[in-house]
Amino acid sequence: MSTRAGIVVTGTEVLSGWIADRNGPWVSQRLLELGVDVAHLTVCGDRPDDLRAQLDFLSTQGVDLIVTTGGLGPTADDLTVATVAEFTSRPLARDPEMAHTIESVIRSWRRYSTVDELPSSTIAAIEKQALIPQGAEAIPPTGTAPGVAVPAGEARPAVLVLPGPPRELQSMWPTALTTDTVTTALRDRVPATLETLRAYGLSEPDLAASLVDAETTVAGFHALEVTTCMRGGELEISTQFAANDASAYDALASFLLERHSDRIYSTDGRAVDDLLIERLADRTIVTAESCTGGLVAARLTDRPGSSAYMLGGVVSYSNDVKTGAIGVPADMIAEHGAVSEEVAVAMADGVAARLHADVAVSTTGIAGPGGAVPGKPVGTVCIGVAVAGRDTFAVTRQFPGDRQQVRELTVAAALHLVVDTLGFD
Amino acid sequence: MSTRAGIVVTGTEVLSGWIADRNGPWVSQRLLELGVDVAHLTVCGDRPDDLRAQLDFLSTQGVDLIVTTGGLGPTADDLTVATVAEFTSRPLARDPEMAHTIESVIRSWRRYSTVDELPSSTIAAIEKQALIPQGAEAIPPTGTAPGVAVPAGEARPAVLVLPGPPRELQSMWPTALTTDTVTTALRDRVPATLETLRAYGLSEPDLAASLVDAETTVAGFHALEVTTCMRGGELEISTQFAANDASAYDALASFLLERHSDRIYSTDGRAVDDLLIERLADRTIVTAESCTGGLVAARLTDRPGSSAYMLGGVVSYSNDVKTGAIGVPADMIAEHGAVSEEVAVAMADGVAARLHADVAVSTTGIAGPGGAVPGKPVGTVCIGVAVAGRDTFAVTRQFPGDRQQVRELTVAAALHLVVDTLGFD
């Protein structure tokens, strides 16, 4: 990819970690889709010197475009446009058309019929937001802050200035892409493809070893940008490549699939959730959860339209609820313990019967930090699967980590166990 | 604050926006708590040149400490330690103690009794992760990747290298702070205090207006660094200040509490979850969820020891489960609709009775994007609360946003409704 970009996220609230940045990742993904190589993402507070330093840094890194987000508001600490004007050596000038647009937006919100009725603080805010670096292109606002696109100068990249509220930024993005500034800056981009393999039960070192081997056996391997990411027990292998390197990617995918056929479960980007829905076909599913406390049900109701297959579930956290609500025999719990394959099977059978579903999945385990018993350390989890017309079964897993991680890994294991079980239909 | 730091987050998966960065915000908050001014946060992919450029940039910005996260794994794209070694002009050397530590961790996970049984790919991974820049301090790993603290050099800040998995990073942080490298780099910091007010049902513009007034009426206001953050329907007002500005903070807190006494529910940092547990006293709680699909139960089982008060719940996603499992009359659903205060009341009463609990909370709503009916647009949610010995009731709320946001706002509203209801005991 020959076109490089940098992203500058402004805002003390982001830099301080008070709020998670949603703009950087969003802009990054859009640029990658366009075939632009995002080299750097930087975050600074509402301090012009730090912002200026980041703009200068990106300029030295040879990027073709800098996208900034935030700092366009009406208050005194919103300084992005002024700082960019200085960086690009273009003095600020009032854009009468933008002033009119912002004023109309505010009047429509506040139901003022004429500009004379606006309070002076509002007029000051409008005038501030209508200041644009000379010769820059203004991008009409969705809220009250116009965007700005400043063409590249000598030894200085083009700068696209967008507002901080994610909805405003996202709705202004298509217009921003049509500006002369941005089309010129990105004219040499080479559209790239992103493909994702998903694996469950594959460790990073094992994958690393395979990638080392692939380096010498897969033709064109070095044209591929491979990234691996372990998350919630799943390993995501993402590869980015230019259109004419597609055969190298195909060779790599084949190589990895052959090596790890039992671990790689998705080659087209689909998540385990998608496979579960597909394999359910027209069947319904319910849950009986102890240690996951509702997380499996929450995951199964996460997708729009999930009522087509997900009927509901029981969070049987206490033993009384296990017995009363889904019929796990009290003496079974006494004999084997609540965390046992016997109980997991009874939970799955019980909830399937009580809620009249075709498929049921159950979890019972020790998420910690307390609750360990001899032979069942923290992280011990039993997962049961019931499928109508087949024998219900349960497995025992031992997960590492803290309470949150054990719960998270249990959810992933439960979904995969259902998918694997339905796969043998 | 006289001590400045920069944070470098590495990882193509973060830079590309595939996963949200959790380490930058976390490290930033920890540094701010210590009284360190975080000047820049930068993100780069797994490319040594870009990482090196960011390290050089931060060096020119006069920071005293650079904290890097990620890139310590066993795969070939994990290059942070090598790049930092080059940046600090300290060649890599094998740390035999670390090699032994990592090997022990892996053997305990995989139950290998001797090192000879380890596959060669694992041994290669251990050897790579045991390489440390000469003269640097190694920080023992929680996972398999040791951290590294490299003392400051001439015109070069100290560098603290930590792993990417948030749990590993967080558990290694306390040890990292005790290294000579970090204590020396931060020796001039001025410890700051962080206090948090939590509000529910308070809008950002209303708070902003109060802060503008506070500026002129609260003595010492300008010594306070106030940040506000809206998250899941809650507004967090975090204020950071030096020890001798405590009276200014007290004045601000009193001012805000007087203005928004009905909205600010916590002045000591406690979350709604803590208040709920406190107000339950010795009572038990259960849930009946439709639109939230288990998220309320998951939240109530999130804390260690939650089995003391949380018995369980029913995810009554389908109408049949509402009727069959918790006794909501089918004709009530037919008459009022599943999303109605009548059904929310019946759900709360039904689940309290069936699961034998003192308190119950129910949710039924239209999370979207489909499902809207005349008079009940997407975002309409009814929440019911049953408390033994009192009349069960329900309220209707209208939440903005997409499916995920409606579900999230419903969870917050449900917890607050329970807390408010128990508060009137």
Side-chain angles (χ1 to χ4, degrees), chain B residues 1-334:
Chain B
M1 289 182 286
S2 52
T3 305
R4 276 162 66 93
I7 302 170
V8 178
V9 174
T10 72
T12 300
E13 68 282 9
V14 173
L15 181 64
S16 306
W18 300 328
I19 72 164
D21 171 40
R22 287 169 54 196
N23 291 327
W26 192 89
V27 170
S28 190
Q29 293 204 303
R30 296 297 82 70
L31 289 172
L32 288 169
E33 286 164 10
L34 290 169
V36 176
D37 182 12
V38 177
H40 299 276
L41 189 162
T42 64
V43 182
C44 66
D46 300 314
R47 287 185 282 200
D49 290 350
D50 292 340
L51 172 55
R52 177 61 195 265
Q54 294 191 351
L55 294 171
D56 288 334
F57 165 64
L58 292 173
S59 199
T60 67
Q61 294 297 302
V63 300
D64 302 286
L65 175 70
I66 297 173
V67 181
T68 75
T69 76
L72 304 189
T75 53
D77 61 352
D78 291 305
L79 295 155
T80 304
V81 174
T83 306
V84 167
E86 204 187 87
F87 171 65
T88 58
S89 311
R90 290 167 182 263
L92 288 175
R94 181 179 191 272
D95 183 322
E97 201 182 324
M98 282 302 135
H100 182 71
T101 304
I102 302 167
E103 182 210 306
S104 307
V105 169
I106 292 181
R107 276 200 288 123
S108 75
W109 283 354
R110 305 213 181 162
R111 308 213 171 96
Y112 292 111
S113 52
T114 74
V115 66
D116 301 332
E117 296 172 36
L118 289 173
S120 62
S121 64
T122 305
I123 297 200
I126 293 171
E127 291 301 314
K128 173 182 181 302
Q129 294 189 297
L131 293 174
I132 305 293
Q134 251 171 27
E137 298 169 83
I139 301 161
T142 307
T144 64
V148 175
V150 190
E154 207 177 321
R156 191 188 40 70
V159 185
L160 172 62
V161 177
L162 292 172
R167 269 176 215 95
E168 292 183 31
L169 179 148
Q170 292 173 21
S171 63
M172 288 161 69
W173 182 257
T175 310
L177 289 186
T178 65
T179 57
D180 288 342
T181 300
V182 175
T183 50
T184 305
L186 304 188
R187 66 184 176 275
D188 293 330
R189 68 192 170 85
V190 179
T193 305
L194 177 71
E195 294 281 357
T196 301
L197 301 174
R198 288 177 199 274
Y200 180 71
L202 178 60
S203 76
E204 277 188 298
D206 286 351
L207 177 68
S210 295
L211 289 174
V212 166
D213 293 345
E215 211 168 336
T216 53
T217 57
V218 171
F221 180 85
H222 289 283
L224 308 172
E225 192 163 327
V226 183
T227 321
T228 66
C229 170
M230 180 64 89
R231 180 162 42 186
E234 300 218 351
L235 190 60
E236 237 175 70
I237 309 155
S238 299
T239 308
Q240 200 164 342
F241 51 92
N244 51 2
D245 294 314
S247 62
Y249 177 73
D250 291 344
L252 173 66
S254 302
F255 176 85
L256 291 175
L257 274 169
E258 194 170 312
R259 278 279 183 99
H260 306 290
S261 60
D262 53 337
R263 307 295 185 185
I264 295 175
Y265 72 87
S266 166
T267 58
D268 57 4
R270 286 190 303 167
V272 63
D273 313 63
D274 301 297
L275 296 183
L276 189 147
I277 295 167
E278 182 187 301
R279 293 195 182 173
L280 275 174
D282 286 329
R283 287 173 289 197
T284 54
I285 188 167
V286 292
T287 56
E289 300 180 68
S290 187
C291 62
T292 49
L295 291 172
V296 177
R299 180 85 169 253
L300 290 174
T301 55
D302 194 40
R303 305 272 169 120
S306 52
S307 58
Y309 46 87
M310 173 64 175
L311 300 183
V314 171
V315 177
S316 53
Y317 209 61
S318 76
N319 288 343
D320 285 348
V321 173
K322 288 184 186 73
T323 301
I326 50 177
V328 179
D331 54 5
M332 177 190 282
I333 298 175

Side-chain angles (χ1 to χ4, degrees), chain A residues 37-395:
Chain A
D37 181 12
V38 178
H40 300 276
L41 189 161
T42 66
V43 182
C44 66
D46 300 314
R47 290 186 282 201
D49 290 350
D50 292 341
L51 172 55
R52 177 61 195 264
Q54 294 190 352
L55 295 171
D56 287 335
F57 166 63
L58 292 174
S59 198
T60 66
Q61 293 299 302
V63 300
D64 302 286
L65 175 69
I66 297 173
V67 181
T68 75
T69 76
L72 304 190
T75 57
D77 62 349
D78 290 306
L79 295 154
T80 304
V81 174
T83 307
V84 168
E86 204 186 87
F87 171 65
T88 58
S89 311
R90 291 167 182 262
L92 288 175
R94 181 178 191 273
D95 184 323
E97 200 183 324
M98 280 303 135
H100 181 72
T101 303
I102 302 167
E103 182 211 305
S104 307
V105 169
I106 292 181
R107 277 200 288 123
S108 76
W109 283 355
R110 305 212 181 162
R111 308 212 172 95
Y112 293 111
S113 52
T114 75
V115 65
D116 302 331
E117 296 172 37
L118 289 173
S120 61
S121 64
T122 305
I123 295 193
I126 293 171
E127 290 301 315
K128 174 183 181 299
Q129 294 189 297
L131 293 174
I132 305 292
Q134 253 171 24
E137 297 170 84
I139 300 160
T142 307
T144 64
V148 175
V150 190
E154 207 176 319
R156 192 189 40 68
V159 185
L160 172 63
V161 177
L162 291 172
R167 266 165 242 259
E168 292 183 31
L169 179 148
Q170 292 174 20
S171 63
M172 288 161 69
W173 182 257
T175 310
L177 288 186
T178 65
T179 58
D180 287 343
T181 299
V182 176
T183 49
T184 304
L186 304 187
R187 66 182 178 275
D188 293 331
R189 67 194 169 84
V190 179
T193 305
L194 175 71
E195 294 281 357
T196 303
L197 300 175
R198 289 177 200 273
Y200 180 70
L202 178 60
S203 76
E204 276 190 297
D206 287 350
L207 176 67
S210 295
L211 288 174
V212 166
D213 293 346
E215 212 168 335
T216 52
T217 57
V218 170
F221 180 84
H222 289 283
L224 307 172
E225 191 163 328
V226 183
T227 322
T228 66
C229 171
M230 179 65 89
R231 175 163 48 180
E234 299 217 352
L235 190 59
E236 238 176 69
I237 309 154
S238 299
T239 308
Q240 201 165 341
F241 53 92
N244 50 3
D245 293 314
S247 62
Y249 177 72
D250 291 343
L252 174 66
S254 302
F255 176 85
L256 292 175
L257 275 168
E258 193 170 313
R259 277 281 182 101
H260 307 288
S261 60
D262 52 337
R263 305 298 184 184
I264 295 174
Y265 72 87
S266 166
T267 58
D268 57 4
R270 287 189 303 167
V272 63
D273 313 63
D274 300 297
L275 295 184
L276 189 146
I277 294 167
E278 182 187 301
R279 294 197 182 172
L280 276 174
D282 287 329
R283 286 173 288 195
T284 55
I285 187 167
V286 293
T287 57
E289 299 179 70
S290 187
C291 62
T292 48
L295 290 172
V296 178
R299 180 86 170 254
L300 291 174
T301 56
D302 193 42
R303 305 273 171 117
S306 53
S307 58
Y309 46 86
M310 172 66 175
L311 300 183
V314 171
V315 178
S316 54
Y317 210 60
S318 76
N319 288 343
D320 285 349
V321 173
K322 288 185 185 72
T323 302
I326 49 176
V328 180
D331 54 5
M332 178 191 282
I333 297 176
E335 187 183 342
H336 301 284
V339 179
S340 62
E341 294 184 6
E342 290 82 357
V343 168
V345 164
M347 287 170 68
D349 278 338
V351 78
R354 302 265 176 130
L355 304 190
H356 310 292
D358 304 311
V359 179
V361 58
S362 66
T363 63
T364 177
I366 301 158
V373 294
K376 292 174 187 169
V378 167
T380 306
V381 176
C382 299
I383 304 172
V385 175
V387 177
R390 293 166 54 177
D391 286 343
T392 300
F393 72 99
V395 300

